[in-house]
Amino acid sequence: MSSDGLWSIGELAERAGVTVKTVRFYSDRGLLPEAGRSSGGHRRYGPEALDRLRLIRSLRALDLPVPEVERVLERDEALEEVVSGQLREVSSQLAALRWREASLRLVQDCAAGERAERLRLVGAVAMPPDTAALARFWRRTLPVRLPARTVSAVLDSVVPRPPREPSPAQVLAFARLHELVTDPRLDRPEFRPAPPLPDGEYRPTVLYEGLAEAYALAASSTAVSAEALDCFAAAYAKALGSRDTPAFRRRLLGLLARNDGPVIRRYWKLATGLFAPDEPVLGALHHHLSVALYAQVEARAV
């Protein structure tokens, strides 16, 4: 330290435990305050530069990019915002690593004859995967007349969120689900999922709102209650402008069988294991209600 209490760039670097090149880099970016210049024009630094350099090192140790460090140094309140952003990025990176690990185990643990197919499946999905393709599938399946709020509620219920810590089996299920909903054959009429009721013959908003209530009732108990079954049948009756009678319920069985096509059955078979354990699976609830309706109709016919 010179007689004026200031340090040269080399002395500052030594005190901070960094290289002269590092000090010069941050100085050139304006991040280190200079206390003055020597008679020869060399930079001189005071204790505040050492404090600032230590703060920069701490922020960089958290892997904050230099532009983000600059934001924090310019504005103290930016620290919380920058850290929150970095936490989101780290969380996304961890999720990607977990999916990558599970994907590698999926390929490692299968029979040699299955590896080519599994590599093809997992290679078609991002890590971590997004659900855009699944949402597009349902948007094409849902009636065009549904209000946006109803569409949003349906998508929240039928599109599983990718598990943050997937098992190899879940990676395989999601990859196969992605393959199913992106199959170009779905554009052909014979492969396109059928609407829940004949198009143009019902009020879709009434149907989907009524079904949401029926599913909620069915999810609240282990067995299908009479209340849930009545709500289920009434949703279809109201949507069609009909009365919920025994004759209507028998007709409804035919409508439900028409809607339960192979694509939707395959979707729910693959998607079920991707929902959280405490999350209701609408495909399973719909199946239980349909089975209960069939049993009721057949019992009345005896």
Side-chain angles (χ1 to χ4, degrees):
M1 180 178 290
S2 62
S3 58
D4 57 5
L6 301 180
W7 301 311
S8 67
I9 192 170
E11 290 171 330
L12 176 60
E14 184 178 359
R15 286 175 177 272
V18 299
T19 64
V20 170
K21 182 179 179 180
T22 297
V23 176
R24 185 172 290 114
F25 172 77
Y26 291 127
S27 291
D28 290 343
R29 293 188 70 104
L31 300 183
L32 290 177
E34 294 181 19
R37 294 271 177 160
S38 69
S39 57
H42 299 293
R43 296 164 176 168
R44 311 293 288 175
Y45 300 92
E48 64 276 8
L50 180 59
D51 293 339
R52 175 66 69 91
L53 189 52
R54 286 171 173 166
L55 174 58
I56 292 172
R57 289 191 65 195
S58 296
L59 294 171
R60 292 290 289 142
L62 295 174
D63 208 26
L64 266 64
V66 173
E68 297 294 273
V69 172
E70 291 176 332
R71 287 180 58 199
V72 173
L73 296 178
E74 290 171 0
R75 188 166 55 92
D76 289 341
E77 56 269 26
L79 178 59
E80 183 175 351
E81 180 183 338
V82 168
V83 169
S84 295
Q86 287 296 303
L87 282 173
R88 287 191 296 271
E89 183 175 336
V90 169
S91 179
S92 177
Q93 291 171 350
L94 287 173
L97 286 173
R98 293 184 184 111
W99 273 84
R100 181 183 173 192
E101 179 186 25
S103 298
L104 289 169
R105 293 192 184 283
L106 175 68
V107 175
Q108 180 186 53
D109 297 341
C110 70
E114 298 177 327
R115 283 182 180 153
E117 182 200 11
R118 293 194 175 186
L119 282 170
R120 177 184 60 80
L121 286 169
V122 299
V125 179
M127 297 185 193
D130 63 51
T131 57
L134 278 63
R136 284 195 299 271
F137 167 81
W138 281 104
R139 286 184 184 277
R140 289 192 303 170
T141 304
L142 294 172
V144 295
R145 293 169 290 162
L146 279 182
R149 61 177 177 80
T150 305
V151 172
S152 179
V154 172
L155 293 180
D156 286 344
S157 301
V158 300
V159 176
R161 290 180 294 275
R164 295 199 63 80
E165 297 187 20
S167 65
Q170 287 176 317
V171 168
L172 182 59
F174 193 95
R176 285 177 171 163
L177 190 61
H178 182 272
E179 180 185 49
L180 174 70
V181 301
T182 56
D183 190 333
R185 291 180 299 173
L186 292 180
D187 293 328
R188 291 156 53 182
E190 65 269 28
F191 287 99
R192 190 176 301 133
L197 288 173
D199 191 30
E201 297 182 13
Y202 72 106
R203 293 176 293 170
T205 303
V206 173
L207 175 63
Y208 281 91
E209 290 179 352
L211 287 178
E213 183 179 353
Y215 295 149
L217 290 170
S220 64
S221 60
T222 54
V224 174
S225 66
E227 182 184 12
L229 185 57
D230 288 345
C231 187
F232 181 67
Y236 284 96
K238 289 178 182 177
L240 286 165
S242 301
R243 291 176 56 244
D244 180 16
T245 64
F248 173 80
R249 294 196 178 195
R250 178 166 289 279
R251 176 191 169 204
L252 180 56
L253 288 179
L255 294 173
L256 292 175
R258 170 184 173 277
N259 184 52
D260 189 22
V263 174
I264 296 297
R265 287 200 302 270
R266 175 72 170 164
Y267 180 95
W268 285 114
K269 181 178 180 180
L270 294 170
T272 296
L274 296 169
F275 287 91
D278 59 344
E279 201 172 1
V281 181
L282 261 60
L285 296 175
H286 187 88
H287 175 73
H288 295 328
L289 287 162
S290 299
V291 169
L293 179 66
Y294 178 84
Q296 183 190 75
V297 169
E298 290 301 304
R300 288 176 176 176
V302 175

